[in-house]
Amino acid sequence: MQEQEKEQTIISYFSSSTKAQSAADALSKSGMNDNHIKRSSRYGVTFDTERNDATANLAETLTGLTLFSMNTSNETNSAERVLMGADPSVSGLSSRGYGMAGGHAFSLIAFVPESRVEEAVALIKKNGGEV
């Protein structure tokens, strides 16, 4: 019976979802398919790529693009929406190191064979990630 190779967890951080997706695609293309993109937020909001797509004119608000707040109710919590709009991350002044793990809003968690860790890290860095 052949023993399965141990896996290593790699956690990397990105300044944008597109960079994180590029790294995930590069890993998948290399046969490392067990990777997951997560959006970190101080507000507990949802990462909804379909609703917050600026190029397709599908963003409801500015904070929908920057804080992914599309699921914040217009009627029941207008104060929350105003406070999110005043957050420094909306203006871009806090693109780095603003209260999130790794200093960026997007993380890529990849599970790769131990023998391919260096290759995976190189692909992540090539696509703008910090490991």
Side-chain angles (χ1 to χ4, degrees):
M1 184 179 242
Q2 188 176 359
E3 193 173 315
Q4 186 175 358
E5 184 177 4
K6 291 182 182 180
E7 289 187 325
Q8 183 86 25
T9 304
I10 301 171
I11 301 173
S12 53
Y13 303 97
F14 296 83
S15 59
S16 73
S17 60
T18 53
K19 288 181 180 180
Q21 188 62 57
S22 292
D25 292 345
L27 290 170
S28 293
K29 188 175 179 180
S30 296
M32 295 176 271
N33 298 312
D34 194 359
N35 49 68
H36 311 274
I37 298 171
K38 300 294 180 190
R39 164 73 157 109
S40 302
S41 171
R42 297 171 58 173
Y43 301 98
V45 292
T46 304
F47 176 56
D48 185 338
T49 55
E50 184 177 329
R51 188 74 183 268
N52 292 299
D53 183 357
T55 58
N57 199 25
L58 293 174
E60 180 183 336
T61 64
L62 177 60
T63 60
L65 292 170
T66 58
L67 298 175
F68 296 85
S69 63
M70 66 87 191
N71 60 344
T72 307
S73 170
N74 287 326
E75 294 80 29
T76 61
N77 204 343
S78 59
E80 182 180 357
R81 293 174 70 89
V82 170
L83 289 172
M84 285 192 292
D87 190 88
S89 64
V90 174
S91 67
L93 295 176
S94 63
S95 63
R96 176 95 177 108
Y98 181 63
M100 289 183 241
H104 290 302
F106 298 93
S107 57
L108 171 66
I109 296 90
F111 302 95
V112 302
E114 283 186 337
S115 63
R116 300 188 71 189
V117 169
E118 288 183 25
E119 176 189 356
V121 168
L123 286 170
I124 289 168
K125 288 181 177 181
K126 181 179 178 182
N127 285 280
E130 295 179 20
V131 181

